[in-house]
Amino acid sequence: MTRHSSFILRRLRRSESGAAILEFALTAPVFLMLLMGIFDFSWQLYAQQVLQGAVSQSARMATLEGYATDQTALDTMVRNKVKQVYPAATVTFSRNAYQSFDQVGKPEPLTDKNGNGRWDSGECFEDLNGTGSWEADSSVAGNGGADSVVLYAARMRFDRILPLWKMLGQDQMTTLTATTVLRNQPYTTGSAKREVICDK
């Protein structure tokens, strides 16, 4: 190392401005990553609110007789609202109809003799969805009928606007889900058939 180089290094050690530059170089990447993370989280939170608002509005309309059979129009409404903010997002939908609120996400009732939580040969169960076999989810796919309780879900998949996750080796795409549960209006008469099946 030359005398001139040693002199420069000694000056840098004593220089407050040099220390400030070094501190900035060490902290700036962390600070920028933190800012990107906050922005990414806020953007996803906003996306969740947009999706949930669109789903809630569509679900309220789906309970009316005039819209109950026009599921495509309601899905298009949700998709259009999402794409106003996130044009490249893909949105998929699912509907599951139940006979009551307390059945949402639950299996068909059965006589569980061995207590394993599932139907076994020799046990009886209520065939709520009319499939002729015991199901771990008692719903029927679709919007149901009058008085049906409908679980309406929309899934939105989109590319994050900042490359933060790609830099961390994670998937750059993210998926958000919005759900709501509502009861259809009693626009027709009739009741659902509840058949008890044994030894199926």
Side-chain angles (χ1 to χ4, degrees):
M1 182 180 294
T2 65
R3 181 180 301 177
H4 181 66
S5 299
S6 300
F7 175 74
I8 292 176
L9 289 175
R10 286 196 299 271
R11 288 284 304 272
L12 285 175
R13 291 193 193 101
R14 293 194 299 267
S15 174
E16 292 184 1
S17 61
I21 292 174
L22 180 60
E23 291 172 358
F24 178 78
L26 292 174
T27 58
V30 178
F31 181 68
L32 289 175
M33 290 284 285
L34 180 62
L35 283 180
M36 291 172 66
I38 293 173
F39 187 80
D40 183 76
F41 176 77
S42 301
W43 190 245
Q44 288 190 58
L45 185 62
Y46 178 62
Q48 183 70 53
Q49 295 301 315
V50 170
L51 181 62
Q52 187 65 58
V55 166
S56 297
Q57 181 182 0
S58 177
R60 285 193 296 271
M61 297 178 67
T63 63
L64 304 177
E65 183 175 6
Y67 290 94
T69 58
D70 195 2
Q71 299 176 15
T72 302
L74 294 172
D75 292 347
T76 300
M77 181 190 306
V78 173
R79 187 177 287 110
N80 289 342
K81 286 183 177 296
V82 169
K83 286 185 174 291
Q84 287 177 3
V85 185
Y86 301 86
T90 58
V91 187
T92 57
F93 305 91
S94 65
R95 290 177 176 82
N96 294 88
Y98 299 85
Q99 294 183 15
S100 63
F101 283 103
D102 60 357
Q103 291 173 358
V104 175
K106 294 182 179 179
E108 293 178 312
L110 75 156
T111 305
D112 192 10
K113 296 178 180 178
N114 57 11
N116 66 354
R118 297 188 59 83
W119 176 84
D120 296 300
S121 180
E123 296 178 341
C124 301
F125 67 92
E126 284 189 69
D127 187 20
L128 300 181
N129 54 18
T131 62
S133 60
W134 182 83
E135 302 287 345
D137 190 317
S138 60
S139 68
V140 177
N143 214 43
D147 281 334
S148 292
V149 174
V150 182
L151 173 63
Y152 181 42
R155 291 170 182 82
M156 168 186 175
R157 185 166 175 79
F158 64 100
D159 193 359
R160 295 181 172 96
I161 60 175
L162 294 176
L164 174 64
W165 294 96
K166 186 180 294 184
M167 293 166 58
L168 297 175
Q170 303 295 319
D171 188 4
Q172 188 64 18
M173 300 291 291
T174 186
T175 302
L176 302 176
T177 302
T179 61
T180 188
V181 180
L182 292 173
R183 181 186 290 277
N184 291 339
Q185 290 188 359
Y187 46 80
T188 59
T189 58
S191 58
K193 184 179 180 181
R194 301 170 69 101
E195 181 183 2
V196 177
I197 299 178
C198 298
D199 295 324
K200 179 69 176 174

